[in-house]
Amino acid sequence: MAETRKLYRSRSNRQVAGVCGGLAQYFNLDVTLIRILFVVLAVLGGSGLVIYLAMWIIVPNEPAAAA
C-alpha cells in the first residue's frame, strides 16, 4: 500500500516556525521558493502573514523520529 503523506512543520529546515520547510518537503519544492512566495503575499496585501500564522497554529510539528 502507498504511504499517506502528511503535512508537518519542519524541525530541521526552519527559520521561524518551520512552516515553509514543511511545505517544501510536502510538495517536494525548494524551500527558498516557498519563502519568497510568503514574502510576496505578505507585501501584496498581508495575506502571506495571515496564512503563515494560521499554519503555525494548525499544522503540527514533525515527529522527532522523522527529523
Side-chain angles (χ1 to χ4, degrees):
M1 259 198 308
E3 185 178 331
T4 305
R5 292 187 318 171
K6 293 187 179 182
L7 178 60
Y8 292 111
R9 290 185 294 136
S10 176
R11 287 185 181 269
S12 60
N13 196 1
R14 64 170 48 189
Q15 294 294 319
V16 178
V19 173
C20 294
L23 284 170
Q25 287 175 348
Y26 186 80
F27 291 113
N28 198 24
L29 294 171
D30 184 32
V31 69
T32 306
L33 188 68
I34 302 293
R35 288 181 180 136
I36 289 171
L37 177 67
F38 271 107
V39 169
V40 168
L41 287 174
V43 171
L44 298 177
S47 63
L49 185 60
V50 173
I51 293 169
Y52 190 91
L53 290 173
M55 289 187 73
W56 190 350
I57 294 168
I58 296 169
V59 176
N61 258 336
E62 182 178 32

